[in-house]
Amino acid sequence: MKKLLFILLLLAIVSTGFSQVRKTYTVKPGEKIIEALPVEAQFQYPKFLQGIVNFKNNNVGTNLLNYNRLLDEIQFIDNKGDTLSLTEEPAVVSIYIANDTFYFSKGYVKKFADVKEVKFGEKPLMVLSNRQKLGAMGELSSASIDTHESLSTSQGMRDLVQKEQLTFAPFTTFYIGDKFNHFKFLNKKNLLNMYEKQELEVEAFLSKESINLLKVDDVKKLIGFLNTM
């Protein structure tokens, strides 16, 4: 249920900021989502890379890792060559893949920038952007985006065979977190709560510069300003 609510919230955000989309991917009726989408759409990196997992008990694990943008999971390749997902997520402090750092906070957040003890992250997902229902005569008709629970679970993504034509697209949302890696959506409310003592200055900057917290260039501009305070 928590995953479903997250997906619904994300789709609401997507509807207001889909200018980020560069390419779309189609899953046709009768196809499995996990099989129809190419590797480039599902994964952050073109291949699994040697990574490091740091746990809260100070243990360290290494393996071939990749971030699955469709499932919001860090996955690894086991000794048999099978692709599996990490299952001890709440025990994870950080994960390093290539030059990137991931934190687990009700899903994975990739490090974007640090401003002293405040952390900014991004979640580069592959999200459902359009659905077309298959009519009685085999024709496709447009339908509103109202994703259902089977699309919001990892098992559903793996096993579901579509009776509709689905369109997926890359979309990145930004997050703000504290030194304990507790992240929330980067919106005005959460930003001002984090900068409570400088609330007036931050709010004035957002208004003056017309900052859109869904746009990467505006987020960079915001971080540049915060570094000057």
Side-chain angles (χ1 to χ4, degrees):
M1 181 57 70
K2 289 182 179 179
K3 193 94 168 183
L4 174 59
L5 292 175
F6 166 75
I7 295 293
L8 292 174
L9 176 59
L10 182 60
L11 288 172
I13 294 174
V14 168
S15 66
T16 64
F18 227 81
S19 59
Q20 296 184 40
V21 173
R22 297 180 180 179
K23 187 174 182 179
T24 59
Y25 302 86
T26 300
V27 180
K28 298 178 180 179
E31 294 182 328
K32 284 188 178 182
I33 297 173
I34 203 74
E35 295 176 355
L37 291 179
V39 171
E40 66 183 74
Q42 295 186 48
F43 289 97
Q44 181 71 15
Y45 311 102
K47 63 179 182 179
F48 280 67
L49 303 173
Q50 192 67 35
I52 301 173
V53 182
N54 293 312
F55 294 96
K56 293 179 181 179
N57 61 5
N58 295 322
N59 285 339
V60 175
T62 60
N63 211 322
L64 292 175
L65 304 174
N66 209 332
Y67 173 67
N68 191 311
R69 297 186 293 174
L70 183 66
L71 306 178
D72 189 17
E73 294 178 352
I74 296 291
Q75 297 188 317
F76 66 95
I77 299 177
D78 68 5
N79 295 332
K80 298 179 181 179
D82 295 329
T83 300
L84 304 174
S85 299
L86 291 180
T87 57
E88 299 178 353
E89 295 169 323
V92 171
V93 174
S94 58
I95 297 175
Y96 302 106
I97 306 176
N99 295 320
D100 296 323
T101 302
F102 290 83
Y103 305 106
F104 181 76
S105 180
K106 297 180 181 179
Y108 286 97
V109 177
K110 185 164 77 74
K111 177 181 176 181
F112 187 76
D114 289 338
V115 181
K116 299 179 181 179
E117 292 188 343
V118 178
K119 298 179 179 180
F120 289 84
E122 59 181 335
K123 189 183 287 287
L125 293 174
M126 185 62 56
V127 301
L128 179 63
S129 63
N130 189 44
R131 298 173 64 178
Q132 290 181 286
K133 295 183 178 181
L134 189 64
M137 302 300 294
E139 75 281 2
L140 291 170
S141 59
S142 296
S144 61
I145 303 174
D146 58 348
T147 189
H148 43 84
E149 190 167 3
S150 58
L151 285 180
S152 67
T153 65
S154 299
Q155 196 60 40
M157 286 288 191
R158 292 184 176 92
D159 298 338
L160 189 63
V161 176
Q162 283 306 297
K163 296 181 180 179
E164 302 164 306
Q165 180 165 294
L166 304 179
T167 301
F168 289 85
F171 188 79
T172 298
T173 52
F174 294 93
Y175 288 74
I176 187 168
D178 58 24
K179 62 181 179 180
F180 302 108
N181 299 336
H182 298 147
F183 285 88
K184 297 181 179 180
F185 278 113
L186 178 58
N187 55 29
K188 183 177 180 180
K189 176 183 177 181
N190 292 332
L191 175 65
L192 295 180
N193 284 341
M194 188 68 74
Y195 286 91
E196 185 177 4
K197 294 182 179 179
Q198 299 94 4
E199 180 177 346
L200 294 179
E201 295 96 317
V202 175
E203 190 164 15
F205 174 81
L206 294 177
S207 178
K208 179 182 177 182
E209 300 294 333
S210 300
I211 296 295
N212 184 336
L213 296 176
L214 290 172
K215 295 183 177 180
V216 62
D217 289 339
D218 282 10
V219 174
K220 289 180 178 179
K221 186 184 296 185
L222 169 65
I223 290 171
F225 166 74
L226 296 174
N227 272 315
T228 66
M229 292 199 309

